[in-house]
Amino acid sequence: MRKSISAKWVQTAVACLTIALIGCLLTAFSFYSWNVNAAEKAKDALLVGVPPDRCPMFYNDPETGEIVGIGADLMTEASKEAGYTVTFREITEPTLKDALDNPEYDVILPFGSAISSASGQACVISAPLFQTPLTLVTVQGQDLPAILRMKVGMLKSQGGVADTVSSMYPDIEITLYDTVKDCVAALRGGEVQALLNNSYLWSYILQKPSYADLEVHTTEMLSMDFCAGTPDTEKGRAIIERLNAGIGALDNTKRQAVILDYTTRKLYEYDIFDHIYAHRVFLGFGAVFFWSFVFLIIRRLRLMRGEHEKTVKKLVDQDPLTGALSMNGFRKRVTELLEAHPDIPYMISYNNIRDFKFINDSYGKAVGDELLRFWAERSMMVLTEEEAIGRAESDHMVVLCRVGGGAKIARDEEIVLDPVRNYFLDRGKDLRVQMSSGVYVLTPEDYEHPDVDHMLDLARVVEKKVRESGRDGFDLYNQEQWEKEKWIADLVGHLRTAIRTNELLIWYQPQVDFETKEISGAEALCRWKHAKLGCIPPSEFIPALENSGSIYELDCYVWDKVCQDLHRWNEKGKHMTVSVNVSRCDIHDNPNLADHFRDLIEKYNLSPDQLKVEITESAYVEDSSLLIRITQELNAYGFQVEMDDFGSGYSSLNMLKEVPVNRIKLDLRFLNDDGDPVKGRIIIECMIHMARALGMDIIAEGVETVDQAEFLNSLGCSEMQGYYFYKPMPVSEFEEH
Ligand code: C2E
Ligand code: CA
Ligand code: CA
C-alpha cells in the first residue's frame, strides 16, 4: 500500500516537472522570437535628426504635427524604397555637427559633404537625395558686389554649408546668424551685403509681406548636394549603403513633384504679424478711427457727468427762489474769493427785512416771495464777479462785497436799497419796506483762516442791535477797520481825478557833495494835496496805492513830470540829475520797465545819466531774478540803478554780488534807530568799505547832523541827502538853488 502511494507521488511529480519544463521552453522561445522580431524591426527603423523650422525643407505640419517638407518627404520615399520606416525629430543641438555626436539619431539631414562631427568624428554621407541650388538675396535695387569679396550672411544651422562655401570661395566673409529674421536685419542694416540660402527656402520665405523689399539674384551661385549623414561606423556605413539603394530607386519625376509641392504649389502661410504688416495702412486708419471714437465717447461721458454735477451742485449751492447762493454755496464761494483775492478789502453784511411776516400775512406769500426775488435781482446788478450774495433763511440775505468809498455807498443806495424800500410805494401800496443790516469788515486774520460762519455771526449780532433799536439802516461791527478801508477806497478811487486836477506834486530833495558843498542831484518825492483830506504823507498813500494795484499809474505820472522838469532845465542850460523811485509793484505791472524809461528820455530828449532809478532793497529780496534782469537792461540803456533803503534789514550781503546796481543808498535812519550807536557807526564804516570794495558808489540819506556828515565824509562817503542839508521842496523853490 505504502509502495503504491509513493509510486503515485513519483508519477505526479514527473508529470508536473514535464509540464513546467514545457512551459519554460515555450516562454523562452516566445521571448527569444519577440526579441528577434524587435531586433529585426529596430533594424528597419531610422530616427532621423533634422534642423528645426527650415520651411520648406523641414517644418512642423500645423495640422498633423508631423515634420514634413521637401527634405523630409524625399527621405521618407527613399527610406521606403530601402525598406526603412523613418521617424523625424528636430535636433536640439545648435549645429548639425553637434547633432552628429548624439548617438540617438541614426542619421542626420542635410549634409552637402562628409564633414566631421563637432568632436572630430568622421562621417559618411548618402548619395544626394536631390540638389539644392544656393542663391543670393539683397535689398531691392542694391547692386550685387563682386562675389569673391562679398560679405555674406547665413543661418548658423547651415554651418556645414558655410564651411563648404568658404572652402570654395576663401575670400567671401561669412557671418552666421541664429534666425532668418536676424539675417534680414543684418542685411538691411548694412552689416552684410547679401544673404545666402537655398532657393527653395527663398521662394517660400520671400512671400512674407514684410520682406517685399528683398530681391533674389537668380544667377545660381552653387549647387549643394542634399544628403543624409551619420558617423563613420560599421552600423553607419550599413545604413548609408541601404539608404543609397533606396535613393537610387527614386526617379526624377518623383523628386520634381515633391519639390513643386512645397515651393510653387505651397503658398506661404501668413502668421498674425504678416497679416498685421500686410494690412498696416488699413489697421493704422482703423486704430486712429477707433481711438478717436473712444476719445469722443469718453469726452461726451465726461461732459454729461460734468453737466450732471453742475446741476446737482446748482441744486445744493443755489437758492431756488431768488437765484442767490444757498448758505452752503455762499460759504464755499466766500472762502474761494478770500483765498484768490487777499488784496481786496472785503466786508460781509447780514441783511433783514423788518416785519416780513406782516408782509406775507397781509399780501400773501407769493408777494413776499416776489419782494425777495426783486431784492436779490437788484443786489446782483451791483455785485461783481469777485463778490457774492446768498440767502441765509426766509428774508435774511448775506452779502460779501468790497469795502467801497462814498461813491460805492451812494450807488448801492440808488440801485438796491431805495428801490427795495419803495417796492410797495412804487406799486401803489402804502407800505415802506424797512431793512436792518449788520456789517462786518474783514481783518487780515480773516483772509488767512476764513471762517464764514463766525463772520456772519458777528454781522448778525450787529443787525439784531440795529433791528432792536428800531432804526432803519446799518451798523458796523469794527468801525475803525471800516473807516480805514473806506478812506483807502476813497483815496484810490480819487487818484485819476487827483492827477487831472494837479493835486499831485513833485517835490525835490537836493543831494549834496559834502566836499564841494555843491548840489550834485536830487530825489523826486511825491506829495498829495488832497482837495478834501488835505496833505497826505507818502507813507500813507504809497502803501494804499501799492495794495490796490494803482501805484504804477502814479509813478508813471511822477516819472513823466520829472522828465518834463529835466527837459526844461536842459533848455535853460542846467544839466541836472534826478533820482526817481520805483515801487516793487511797478516791475510786475510792466516787466519791460527799462524800455519805458528809454522811451521817456527819448521823448524829452534827455541823456540817460540824468535819470537815476531807485529800487528799494526789499524788492530785490522778493523778486531777485526779475529785478536782476530789469537792472541789467537799465544798465544797458545807460541808466544808473540805485539800491534804495540799504540797511533796512531785508537783504543778505551775499545778494550784492548778484545784483548789478551802480549805487547803494545807505539810510542812516535804519542804523541810528535803536541799539548801540558805537556799533551802528562800525556797521556804517564796514558798509562803506564794502560798497567801495565791490566797485559800487555810495550815497547816504537821512543825514540830519553835522557830526553824521563829517563822520561819513571821513570814511570817504561824500554824497549825502538829508534834512541837515535840505528838506524836500517844491519845484519852484528847488529851481532857485
Ligand atoms: P524814500 O525813497 O526812502 O525817500 C526818502 C524819504 O526820507 C522821504 O520821505 C524824505 O522826505 C525823507 N527824508 C529825507 N531826508 C531825511 C532826513 O534827514 N530825516 C528824515 N527823518 N527823513 C528824511 P517822504 O517824501 O515822506 O517819502 C517816503 C517814502 O515814500 C519814500 O521813501 C519812498 O519810498 C516813497 N515815495 C515818495 N515818493 C514816491 C514816488 O513818487 N513813488 C514811489 N513809488 N514812492 C515814493
Ligand atoms: Ca528813494
Ligand atoms: Ca530811501
Side-chain angles (χ1 to χ4, degrees), residues 614 644-645 665 667 669 701:
E614 290 192 8
D644 199 2
D645 303 335
K665 204 165 185 192
D667 197 322
R669 284 166 297 163
E701 71 173 322

Side-chain angles (χ1 to χ4, degrees), residues 165-180:
V165 173
S166 282
S167 63
M168 292 168 72
Y169 303 96
D171 288 336
I172 287 187
E173 196 181 304
I174 296 176
T175 314
L176 299 177
Y177 298 96
D178 284 334
T179 61
V180 174

